[in-house]
Amino acid sequence: MSERKLPKFIICFCTGECPGFAKLNLWKLINYVRNELDVEYAIIHPQLCVTDGDQFLRDYLKQGDKDSVFIIGGCDPRMQRKMFKDVFTEKGLDFDKQVVSLDLRNMETEEAMKKLAEAVNKIVGG
């Protein structure tokens, strides 16, 4: 009998200086996700789309772990796909099946919470 795996949440906060995240309270959001939603855990990375972000994903993702689902909150989902797909492929993972990309820019914190809750519930069937 397989155990249900909960999604893993990563938020890329674009250095914390991007105007697109000015209305978002990062700590309120991340604590809401880790304490209130059915996720395995929540991680903050300051900028996944740069060299240390790529290195973080290479270290973090497990080779061939096809059972995990990752929710990545950050910028435009098309940009996320373009920037992160190669690392997922290198690790034997399927970005299109295993990643739910959410654009959290230009949102109030409560709006982002609602969007995340909907995404998690869709994955875990809540």
Side-chain angles (χ1 to χ4, degrees), residues 4 6-7 38 117-126:
R4 179 179 77 153
L6 297 175
D38 284 331
E118 290 170 357
V120 170
N121 288 337
K122 197 175 209 178
I123 294 166
V124 299

Side-chain angles (χ1 to χ4, degrees), residues 34-116:
R34 56 184 277 274
N35 292 320
E36 304 294 329
L37 300 181
D38 284 331
V39 297
E40 193 166 334
Y41 48 74
I43 296 172
I44 300 168
H45 192 281
Q47 196 172 20
L48 286 171
C49 63
V50 296
T51 304
D52 73 321
D54 279 345
Q55 190 57 48
F56 166 75
L57 287 174
R58 281 188 183 90
D59 290 347
Y60 168 69
L61 297 172
K62 295 178 182 158
Q63 187 71 38
D65 177 17
K66 297 224 181 240
D67 293 331
S68 289
V69 174
F70 304 89
I71 299 173
I72 302 177
C75 64
D76 185 327
R78 292 170 297 184
M79 179 63 80
Q80 290 186 37
R81 186 178 189 282
K82 180 178 178 182
M83 300 303 291
F84 311 144
K85 186 176 186 246
D86 288 349
V87 176
F88 276 77
T89 301
E90 285 175 25
K91 290 292 190 168
L93 309 179
D94 187 331
F95 183 90
D96 294 323
K97 290 182 179 173
Q98 292 182 261
V99 176
V100 175
S101 298
L102 299 178
D103 187 348
L104 301 180
R105 295 171 300 167
N106 303 310
M107 289 186 169
E108 299 283 345
T109 305
E110 287 71 22
E111 189 179 3
M113 289 173 166
K114 182 179 177 192
K115 190 170 189 173
L116 275 159

Side-chain angles (χ1 to χ4, degrees), residues 11-29:
I11 186 165
C12 176
F13 208 59
C14 199
T15 72
E17 297 181 15
C18 174
F21 292 104
K23 297 184 288 183
L24 195 67
N25 180 325
L26 174 64
W27 296 110
K28 186 173 180 180
L29 178 65

